[in-house]
Amino acid sequence: MLVAVDKLARSPEGPSDGGTMGLMHGCDTMLNGLTPAQKEAISAPPGPMLVLAGPGSGKTTVVTRRIAAMLHGGIAPWQILALTFTNKAAGEMRHRVQALLGGHDLRGLTISTFHAFAAGQLRRLGERANVHEDFSIWDTTDQRAAMKQAITDAGLSTGNWTPASVLSAVSGWKNKLCTVSDLEACGDDFYTRNLARAWRAYERILKAARAVDFDDLLLHLATTLRDNDMVRREFSDRWSNLLVDEYQDTNHAQFVIASSIAQAHRNICVVGDPDQSIYAWRGADINNILDFERNYPGARVVNLGTNFRSSGRIVEAAAALIKHNTSHRPRDHVAAGEQGEPVIVLGAPDEHEEARELVERMRLHHEDHDVPWREMAVLYRMNALSRVLEEAFRAADVPHVVARGTAFYDRKEVRDALAMIRLVLNPADDVAFRRIVNVPPRGIGATTMDTVERHAARHDCGVLDALRTVVANGDLATRASKACTAFLTLVDGWIHTLAEAAPETDLASFVAGVLVESGLEDHFKNARSEEDQARLENLDELVSAAADRDSDMLELAGEDTPSLRRRLAQWLETIALVSDADAIDPEQGAVTLMTLHAAKGLEFDVVGIAGLEAGLLPHARSSDDPAQLEEERRLCYVGMTRARDHLIMSRAHVRTVRGLRERTAGSAFLNELPSDVTRSIETEDPFGAGGSAGGFGVTTAVQTAIEGIAPGVTVRHPRFGTGIVRRVLHRPQGTTATIEFDDFGPRTLYVARAALEVIDDGVTF
């Protein structure tokens, strides 16, 4: 059987009979409880296969069980490569494969993100890929600092040419595997000519620092595989079975990497959903998945159409929406669970009431139906929309968290510590040097650095080497020279320690030593403020992070312990390649506020999507571009399918823009939702729309008189004190009152639960 499987794995065309025997021999239990489509995707023989995996269709189950099936069928672990987009996804896949196979030896199995895979392979290839083996990986902050310098070096104004915009343009070119020379050759207009000048200066800075940015990782590996036959054969022979997750999100560079590895054996299984392609703005090419069958004639196509996540009505509503896209591939959308409640389409008078409505519905699910806060989320198209939502959640005392990425590694003291460690690993990293040369303060000021920078520019060398030279030549004042000598001694000591360290040297101890010897730890220990204490705790946590990562690396390595230098480089890569999605903690006891883009890959019991208005969702940029409009619709589709049981889609009739209140038009996407699976609820429309079938209308004096709660009445609350009732609404769940409290501001409360006392001229009724 092992021989048969090996032949299948290495056959360029796969098995001629199209059967599903081979991979699954002896492991039928892996197919228990799965749908026919899932079974087909898992047990299909090697060869090109496209798995169209809709939301909640068990995509990870299919990928991990297919890997387990191949291993169980006799394919060696080192022959399998699985690529995905986030560290979280890669870790989950690795964990599931290990759980499925128990004590199976998985050494050599590669499950990785594209960027981490590229980083590791480039270090191995070194000069063959035109990179230095000890290159630094510059993150977004490093790249912007370097590009700011490059723009200045190119004689341009950073006011007119911002680092972020230039980097975005350069990224687009790199993702297409184009170089600065290609840009220079393609046009001579003002914009192209100056963009090329800035890019050329940026490349000089990267090269001098022996550094690469995120796009370079993919660019260098893709071009090497494309242009070097020997390297391409080496990769193809090593990884004779390739799986690519989230294939709809691949850009051209990632497409070239995958297709180059699979070119000889055609054993490529890609999993994805064109309806969830939402990253065109950062280079993703939906045509990679749409054209898969044309690129691999005879490919097997498996449609995972059963949604195990969302209720029936949510699935129907999302399916109806996405069918309006011409890029949509017709297929059945089936919910495995019950029909559930209708999708709520909510209209509010303004953005503040919209936010309060969303908060109160979250509170209702939490208090009346025991839904944990962590299982709820509010999504929005633009980050700017979070402000009003944050205020509403804060006012209602509902725990919430705004997902903004990897906050821990963005903290200044952590970035300073990491820059020190980067400089030890790569002394040519000028960005790291500039960041920490006087951190903590050590007497190396601007005058000294001007001398060093001039020497570096004049002699075309790195700033660390320039510092060594100006100190040796006596070009500095005595005090400055003494401070610089102490700094050089410190850095050289770390470099020596790293070079001479035994393989078993503890990574955490090395990191802790740098923090102590640099004076960074003492700098915060000697301060007494709570803020500095928190910074010291963050440095402690950084050491813990190093220990955790080191333990994982040593466990994966087995008996072949990698050097301390190699483990240090891998740890820094892990930190540099953390993504937004990795920053979301599913165990947080708080409602998550986040963008629709950041929500990709996540799921919650209750989801609210705010701002479904023309110009917001879909975004105004898509108004004259059919392709962008389709991507906006896919983005809305992704947001809708994050919900398991309850989905609220809201809009405001009036929204404040640049200080002016403007009437809005509802999103066209709302009109594409079928009425039989939705429930429209209108709170008060300031332009006279009135109430709705949902029963959310303007409160009348007759209704409120029964309870004595009416607009203008002064009330007392046992916790919030006294306040004036501003608005009362009768809802299906109960009457609510919006009250402006003297000390706590506006709060919306359920009257039946609030224990309110009505006060009139000091007399309590």
Side-chain angles (χ1 to χ4, degrees):
M1 190 60 205
L2 298 182
V3 175
V5 172
D6 191 59
K7 288 181 178 179
L8 284 175
R10 297 180 180 277
S11 170
E13 300 300 329
S16 60
D17 61 3
T20 61
M21 296 301 294
L23 292 182
M24 293 306 302
H25 179 74
C27 57
D28 292 339
T29 55
M30 290 187 190
L31 303 181
N32 290 343
L34 302 181
T35 67
Q38 288 176 321
K39 292 179 181 179
E40 180 183 359
I42 292 168
S43 61
M49 179 166 63
L50 168 62
V51 180
L52 293 171
S57 61
K59 168 177 66 72
T60 305
T61 295
V62 167
V63 174
T64 53
R65 293 198 183 195
R66 181 164 177 80
I67 293 172
M70 288 192 289
L71 293 169
H72 194 281
I75 295 176
W78 55 266
Q79 292 181 297
I80 300 173
L81 169 62
L83 297 174
T84 186
F85 280 82
T86 68
N87 296 315
K88 181 180 178 181
E92 176 67 15
M93 287 184 188
R94 198 175 296 112
H95 173 75
R96 290 201 192 184
V97 172
Q98 290 171 337
L100 284 167
L101 293 178
H104 198 288
D105 185 359
L106 301 181
R107 282 180 297 178
L109 174 65
T110 306
I111 301 177
S112 174
T113 65
F114 270 99
H115 286 87
F117 174 72
Q121 295 309 308
L122 289 176
R123 290 199 192 279
R124 186 179 62 82
L125 291 169
E127 292 183 359
R128 289 196 290 170
N130 197 32
V131 296
H132 192 281
E133 63 179 9
D134 284 335
F135 61 80
S136 295
I137 301 174
W138 282 358
D139 64 12
T140 302
T141 302
D142 300 326
Q143 292 168 38
R144 289 187 179 181
M147 184 57 80
K148 183 177 181 180
Q149 181 63 47
I151 292 168
T152 301
D153 292 348
L156 302 174
S157 166
T158 54
N160 297 327
W161 297 81
T162 64
S165 63
V166 177
L167 282 169
S168 177
V170 169
S171 177
W173 282 88
K174 287 186 176 182
N175 286 334
K176 297 174 185 175
L177 302 187
C178 295
T179 65
V180 63
S181 298
D182 296 323
L183 176 62
E184 291 168 336
C186 78
D188 195 36
D189 60 277
F190 174 82
Y191 174 79
T192 303
R193 187 169 60 251
N194 285 296
L195 176 63
R197 287 169 59 191
W199 186 0
R200 179 69 71 183
Y202 178 64
E203 290 300 311
R204 284 196 293 268
I205 293 172
L206 281 171
K207 185 175 181 180
R210 296 206 304 258
V212 298
D213 59 23
F214 290 153
D215 297 315
D216 287 331
L217 293 173
L218 301 180
L219 170 68
H220 286 304
L221 184 59
T223 53
T224 301
L225 286 169
R226 182 193 64 191
D227 302 335
N228 190 316
D229 293 341
M230 183 176 297
V231 172
R232 187 169 60 252
R233 285 196 300 271
E234 178 184 317
F235 275 55
S236 185
D237 289 343
R238 162 70 193 276
W239 291 291
S240 57
N241 293 273
L242 173 64
L243 301 94
V244 184
D245 188 22
E246 303 287 7
Y247 194 63
Q248 78 281 348
D249 293 334
T250 53
N251 59 30
H252 181 62
Q254 289 158 335
F255 168 80
V256 170
I257 291 171
S259 57
S260 296
I261 295 173
Q263 181 177 322
H265 51 65
R266 297 179 81 241
N267 293 333
I268 178 172
C269 170
V270 302
V271 184
D273 182 5
D275 292 338
Q276 297 186 70
S277 179
I278 60 173
Y279 296 123
W281 54 276
R282 69 183 190 194
D285 187 352
I286 191 175
N287 292 308
N288 290 346
I289 192 168
L290 294 177
D291 294 342
F292 184 82
E293 294 162 88
R294 184 168 63 84
N295 294 328
Y296 295 93
R300 181 189 296 264
V301 179
V302 180
N303 184 357
L304 303 182
T306 302
N307 188 318
F308 296 93
R309 174 191 303 152
S310 304
S311 66
R313 287 191 171 94
I314 294 174
V315 170
E316 288 183 46
L321 174 75
I322 203 62
K323 284 179 181 177
H324 287 80
N325 272 4
T326 58
S327 61
H328 171 70
R329 292 184 57 149
R331 65 176 188 264
D332 293 332
H333 292 258
V334 180
E338 299 178 352
Q339 276 293 88
E341 297 182 359
V343 174
I344 299 298
V345 178
L346 175 66
D350 59 25
E351 71 270 28
H352 296 283
E353 187 61 28
E354 176 194 32
R356 285 193 285 266
E357 289 285 347
L358 288 168
V359 170
E360 287 307 314
R361 288 182 176 275
M362 300 283 172
R363 185 197 294 279
L364 179 67
H365 285 297
H366 178 70
E367 294 180 354
D368 291 0
H369 303 287
D370 296 323
V371 179
W373 293 123
R374 66 176 179 271
E375 293 297 346
M376 304 186 214
V378 180
L379 316 178
Y380 35 83
R381 176 64 178 86
M382 298 165 56
N383 268 313
L385 296 185
S386 75
R387 180 184 66 84
V388 174
L389 289 164
E390 289 180 68
E391 290 177 355
F393 276 95
R394 192 179 303 116
D397 282 339
V398 172
H400 61 285
V401 59
V402 180
R404 296 188 185 277
T406 56
F408 177 79
Y409 292 109
D410 283 341
R411 293 167 189 166
K412 181 182 183 304
E413 64 277 8
V414 175
R415 294 185 63 81
D416 289 342
L418 291 173
M420 291 176 184
I421 297 166
R422 276 173 36 201
L423 185 64
V424 177
L425 187 68
N426 178 7
D429 192 335
D430 288 351
V431 169
F433 172 90
R434 291 188 181 100
R435 183 180 184 95
I436 56 90
V437 65
N438 201 41
V439 175
R442 59 181 90 250
I444 304 176
T447 301
T448 300
M449 285 307 300
D450 285 343
T451 302
V452 173
E453 293 283 1
R454 285 197 302 271
H455 182 92
R458 192 163 52 245
H459 297 278
D460 195 23
C461 65
V463 285
L464 182 61
D465 288 338
L467 179 63
R468 297 184 194 281
T469 302
V470 298
V471 169
N473 292 343
D475 296 337
L476 301 175
T478 302
R479 185 175 179 181
S481 179
K482 186 175 181 180
C484 291
T485 299
F487 175 73
L488 289 171
T489 301
L490 195 63
V491 173
D492 288 341
W494 294 334
I495 293 173
H496 177 76
T497 298
L498 184 62
E500 299 298 321
E504 61 270 18
T505 302
D506 182 34
L507 177 59
S509 296
F510 178 79
V511 173
V514 171
L515 297 181
V516 172
E517 294 168 15
S518 67
L520 191 60
E521 194 172 81
D522 283 342
H523 177 67
F524 296 120
K525 274 184 179 178
N526 295 333
R528 297 183 179 181
S529 71
E530 292 184 5
E531 184 178 9
D532 284 323
Q533 181 60 38
R535 288 172 175 167
L536 185 60
E537 291 169 355
N538 287 334
L539 294 179
D540 290 340
E541 186 62 25
L542 184 64
V543 176
S544 298
D548 291 343
R549 181 59 183 164
D550 202 30
S551 176
D552 293 340
M553 288 187 289
L554 291 172
E555 183 177 344
L556 288 172
E559 296 180 358
D560 300 322
T561 304
S563 67
L564 178 62
R565 169 179 289 276
R566 179 64 184 137
R567 282 158 30 228
L568 186 63
Q570 288 180 343
W571 180 52
L572 293 178
E573 286 170 13
T574 301
I575 294 171
L577 298 175
V578 170
S579 70
D580 286 352
D582 295 320
I584 306 305
D585 180 2
E587 297 304 318
Q588 286 185 89
V591 178
T592 301
L593 311 183
M594 64 197 313
T595 64
L596 286 158
H597 282 101
K600 179 80 181 301
L602 304 176
E603 58 184 77
F604 304 89
D605 287 347
V606 183
V607 170
I609 305 179
L612 275 141
E613 299 149 30
L616 295 181
L617 184 61
H619 194 279
R621 289 194 299 265
S622 67
S623 58
D624 298 323
D625 188 333
Q628 284 195 31
L629 180 61
E630 291 215 348
E631 176 139 337
E632 292 291 304
R633 188 178 283 109
R634 291 195 293 269
L635 188 58
C636 185
Y637 172 78
V638 166
M640 295 174 69
T641 53
R642 299 310 93 197
R644 298 189 191 104
D645 303 315
H646 306 281
L647 175 62
I648 309 157
M649 305 179 72
S650 67
R651 60 157 298 200
H653 291 289
V654 173
R655 191 171 293 275
T656 305
V657 180
R658 295 183 64 86
L660 300 176
R661 289 171 63 80
E662 297 181 358
R663 179 77 193 262
T664 69
S667 170
F669 297 159
L670 294 177
N671 297 326
E672 296 171 357
L673 305 179
S675 59
D676 58 336
V677 296
T678 60
R679 180 183 179 192
S680 180
I681 296 177
E682 288 285 340
T683 59
E684 180 182 3
D685 183 345
F687 292 88
S692 75
F696 280 57
V698 182
T699 302
T700 67
V702 174
Q703 291 172 316
T704 58
I706 299 173
E707 300 181 56
I709 307 295
V713 169
T714 301
V715 297
R716 180 184 292 117
H717 183 271
R719 177 182 176 188
F720 301 127
T722 58
I724 299 174
V725 178
R726 299 300 186 190
R727 184 163 177 248
V728 180
L729 289 176
H730 288 284
R731 310 165 182 266
Q733 298 90 348
T735 299
T736 64
T738 300
I739 304 166
E740 185 80 29
F741 288 102
D742 297 340
D743 297 326
F744 290 87
R747 304 281 169 135
T748 300
L749 307 172
Y750 279 98
V751 174
R753 306 175 193 165
L756 295 170
E757 292 180 300
V758 179
I759 302 172
D760 186 12
D761 295 329
V763 179
T764 302
F765 290 86

